[in-house]
Amino acid sequence: MNRLKSNQGGGVAGIIFVLSMVVISFLVPPPPGTDEPASESLKYLADNRSAMMIQASLSALPTFPLFLLVPVWRRFLDSRGESNGVFSSATSTGILLGWAIGVAVALMFGALAFLSESTLDEEAARNLSVVLTVGYGGAVVFWGSGALFAGLALVGEKDAARWAGWLGIVVALLSAISVFGWSNEGLTAPGQLMFVGYLSNMVFLLTASILLLRDR
């Protein structure tokens, strides 16, 4: 039990979390663009119905390793200095709130896929898909805020911790930018920049996990 509470235990949990999230994210192909006909949205949900329902269920399971990572990561940030207690609390809050939104959105996408062969029509499929995609921006921003405050706690450190601190600040900036994707097509369409923000947050959590593994 003590090993699970150690920095190394938290690091292993974090790596499991990140790898699980990346694998789950690529279980289904990218959705149609917002400029495509509504019929494509319904077809996408129907064609990937089983995979999306499985993805939705699997998306909730990384909660377990995440809940091992967060308290260890918070303790690690606390150990960087007495003034960082606020930063570590804000980091934990950001990660957990982002996770709550992310799981809720993933499960609702699974529900859309479930309804795609029964009561869901084309317009509803397109509109609800866009709403949920934009809603996932809340998760990315909360994760980005967690990266920001962790970065501020670490940027005054030395060596790898210092570089991780700057990475957290950059990830926070990317996360903030990602919610401004409102174009009808291209990189700035809803969900495109957001996916960049999502992946950058996964990179930061992986970096955090490696720091925990290295810490003695």
Side-chain angles (χ1 to χ4, degrees), residues 26-70:
F26 289 97
L27 285 178
V28 296
T34 53
D35 58 328
E36 296 188 39
S39 58
E40 289 299 312
S41 295
L42 184 59
K43 183 177 184 299
Y44 170 80
L45 292 172
D47 289 347
N48 298 285
R49 184 174 183 268
S50 296
M52 290 187 70
M53 290 189 293
I54 293 171
Q55 183 185 56
S57 297
L58 291 177
S59 292
L61 298 185
T63 299
F64 299 106
L66 182 67
F67 276 21
L68 287 176
L69 167 65
V70 170

Side-chain angles (χ1 to χ4, degrees), residues 192-213:
Q192 302 300 317
L193 284 175
M194 202 175 296
F195 193 65
V196 175
Y198 163 79
L199 288 179
S200 66
N201 276 284
M202 293 301 105
V203 169
F204 181 72
L205 288 175
L206 180 61
T207 303
S209 302
I210 293 172
L211 276 181
L212 293 175
L213 279 176

